[in-house]
Amino acid sequence: MEWSVLQQYGPSLLKGFGNTILCWALGTVFGMALGLVIALIQRYAPRWVTWIVQIYIEVIRGTPFLVQLFVLYYGGPLVGLRLDALPAGLLGLTIYGSPYFAEIFRSGFRAVPDGQIEAARAIGMSESDIVRRILLPLGLVSALPALVNFSIILTKETVILSIITVPELLYQVQRMSAETFRYVEANLVLALFFWGLVETISRVGLRLEARITKHLIERT
Amino acid sequence: MLAASSVEMRKVNKYYGKFQALKDIDLSIPPGKVTCLIGPSGSGKSTLLRCINFLEEYDSGEVRIDGQLIGYDAPNKKMSGRRLREMRRSIGMVFQQFNLWPHMTARENVAEGLIRVRRISKADADRRASEALAKVGLADKSASHPSRLSGGQQQRVAIARAIAMEPKLMLFDEPTSALDPELVGEVLSVMRTLAGEGMTMVVVTHEMGFAAHVADQVGFMEKGELVSVASPDRILHRPEDARIQSFLRTYHERNSF
């Protein structure tokens, strides 16, 4: 082991880690937002719209992320979509995550008892109020563990962005390895960073879960 | 005295696929009176009740609240969501499973409809919610979440949620069936108070005592048919129809020891 190279490469590794966190955070937020929209469309839109959305879900879920990124980054310019690596990576992550998030939201919505929706209809609440006040808050609570879980999976998908030259952590680690031949050290750093990130997310997730389910657990 | 609605059902039919849940239902519910619906499970009582506020969409016939058709503008032409919501505002409903919103406190459950549907200010809604909770004897539970309340208390919150909207008609769908026996009384006593105030009430129930003492008329249903509608005494004590006799015999056997 030769750790002194870290002094030289430390700053670029940290920068790479920063980009990893940025890509993960924004990709997760946008992916969740898109997934939520998809789940609501699936629940409320006319049949033919839900079919189109279902095709989107099947296509994205049925193809590797790597292939989607290639199509977006190298195929995009053919149809006039010219993106830098980082925005392309973000867009890719958003698209890749959205159907999974949509499915998580869908199952969260299904966990809301019909009776609680009916109670809202019976007093004359509008569908949009029902979504905002009943369906979303209750559905999100049921969906939370799965949302956190998939967000953790997404952290590790960010390494694939290195292939389209997004300067995230793996990209920097590979550069360091190639220039110094310190593969083991570089990859240990990578593992350590990811472990720290995942551990943080899961802890925050658990706290959040404990907080918002406080009132929802039946007294026994 | 509250404003009270009347309900007229004419030739109401409801199908689930090929199964006919309601068969040519004719029923008049006079304003300010209590109508109890009894009968075996699966006889269509709840379905009938849910047609009154169109939570269940009937397929043919008419359901009129104070003369106004609910659910349809004309045969086969559904009413707009907005108009349906307007009509539902004055119809309260209480469910077997309470259906309180678990993420809100008792007071928030009651105030929600006032704020979102009646569009009154949060302060006013909170005040009215507290009054409604006091009326069902739960003034001290207004800050509790449903998970902290007993079944009987939850059902009383649900009743408060409905009456806070100042309905002219209240529908009760087996309001005590999910309760432990010792909690039934507190819910029935709140319902008795409401009946005494002249609220039009339609109650699907297995509580024959409540039907006998509080109802102005009792309807007996079996296999989607409204077999008979008459005074509680006629139905419960001097039934002529063999189906009612057999239902009551089973009921008495089960409730004696």
Side-chain angles (χ1 to χ4, degrees), chain A residues 115-116 118 133 215 219, chain B residues 50 99 101 103 112 145 147:
Chain A
Q116 285 167 17
E118 283 191 335
R133 302 287 303 170
H215 298 300
R219 187 174 54 173
Chain B
R50 289 161 56 86
N99 293 337
W101 301 306
H103 56 310
E112 186 68 13
H145 280 80
S147 58

Side-chain angles (χ1 to χ4, degrees), chain A residues 87-108:
Chain A
L90 272 178
L91 182 61
L93 261 182
T94 302
I95 291 173
Y96 170 72
S98 61
Y100 296 97
F101 281 123
E103 287 295 304
I104 293 170
F105 283 122
R106 189 178 64 88
S107 72

Side-chain angles (χ1 to χ4, degrees), chain A residues 92-172:
Chain A
L93 261 182
T94 302
I95 291 173
Y96 170 72
S98 61
Y100 296 97
F101 281 123
E103 287 295 304
I104 293 170
F105 283 122
R106 189 178 64 88
S107 72
F109 291 160
R110 283 173 56 127
V112 180
D114 286 342
Q116 285 167 17
I117 306 289
E118 283 191 335
R121 286 207 182 110
I123 58 170
M125 268 170 83
S126 66
E127 285 301 317
S128 62
D129 275 341
I130 292 174
V131 169
R132 276 191 317 118
R133 302 287 303 170
I134 315 291
L135 188 71
L136 274 184
L138 290 175
L140 284 182
V141 170
S142 325
L144 188 63
L147 288 175
V148 172
N149 189 44
F150 190 70
S151 305
I152 286 173
I153 292 174
L154 270 189
T155 58
K156 286 163 283 178
E157 298 294 340
T158 57
V159 297
I160 294 176
L161 301 183
S162 63
I163 299 203
I164 58 163
T165 72
V166 175
E168 48 71 72
L169 189 56
L170 181 63
Y171 182 85
Q172 302 292 6

Side-chain angles (χ1 to χ4, degrees), chain B residues 38-45 206 220-223 243 247:
Chain B
I38 63 168
S41 348
S43 59
K45 310 179 296 285
H206 292 289
F220 175 82
M221 289 192 72
E222 195 191 61
K223 293 184 179 149
R243 288 170 286 183
F247 171 75

Side-chain angles (χ1 to χ4, degrees), chain A:
Chain A
M1 294 284 191
E2 175 61 64
W3 292 105
S4 59
V5 287
L6 283 182
Q7 277 188 338
Q8 189 194 339
Y9 282 90
S12 67
L13 288 176
L14 275 177
K15 219 172 139 208
F17 190 48
N19 278 334
T20 291
I21 293 177
L22 179 80
C23 289
W24 167 74
L26 291 181
T28 301
V29 168
F30 294 150
M32 262 191 213
L34 184 55
L36 181 58
V37 170
I38 291 172
L40 287 172
I41 289 174
Q42 292 293 69
R43 196 176 165 95
Y44 289 104
R47 183 70 61 83
W48 65 271
V49 179
T50 66
W51 279 343
I52 294 174
V53 173
Q54 196 59 42
I55 291 171
Y56 168 84
I57 290 178
E58 299 302 333
V59 168
I60 302 297
R61 279 206 305 189
T63 53
F65 182 37
L66 184 64
V67 174
Q68 294 166 17
L69 270 185
F70 274 140
V71 169
L72 185 69
Y73 190 60
Y74 298 109
L78 301 178
V79 292
L81 185 68
R82 249 169 260 279
L83 290 173
D84 286 341
L86 189 66
L90 272 178
L91 182 61
L93 261 182
T94 302
I95 291 173
Y96 170 72
S98 61
Y100 296 97
F101 281 123
E103 287 295 304
I104 293 170
F105 283 122
R106 189 178 64 88
S107 72
F109 291 160
R110 283 173 56 127
V112 180
D114 286 342
Q116 285 167 17
I117 306 289
E118 283 191 335
R121 286 207 182 110
I123 58 170
M125 268 170 83
S126 66
E127 285 301 317
S128 62
D129 275 341
I130 292 174
V131 169
R132 276 191 317 118
R133 302 287 303 170
I134 315 291
L135 188 71
L136 274 184
L138 290 175
L140 284 182
V141 170
S142 325
L144 188 63
L147 288 175
V148 172
N149 189 44
F150 190 70
S151 305
I152 286 173
I153 292 174
L154 270 189
T155 58
K156 286 163 283 178
E157 298 294 340
T158 57
V159 297
I160 294 176
L161 301 183
S162 63
I163 299 203
I164 58 163
T165 72
V166 175
E168 48 71 72
L169 189 56
L170 181 63
Y171 182 85
Q172 302 292 6
V173 162
Q174 282 175 332
R175 200 167 64 95
M176 174 181 156
S177 310
E179 289 169 10
T180 64
F181 303 107
R182 292 287 158 206
Y183 297 101
V184 177
E185 291 85 344
N187 282 288
L188 273 175
V189 168
L190 178 87
L192 209 62
F193 272 138
F194 268 96
W195 177 72
L197 178 60
V198 167
E199 198 60 25
T200 309
I201 298 168
S202 77
R203 269 162 203 268
V204 169
L206 283 176
R207 284 245 176 110
L208 208 62
E209 210 178 307
R211 228 177 99 179
I212 65 176
T213 55
K214 198 170 67 184
H215 298 300
L216 300 176
I217 294 159
E218 288 287 331
R219 187 174 54 173
T220 46

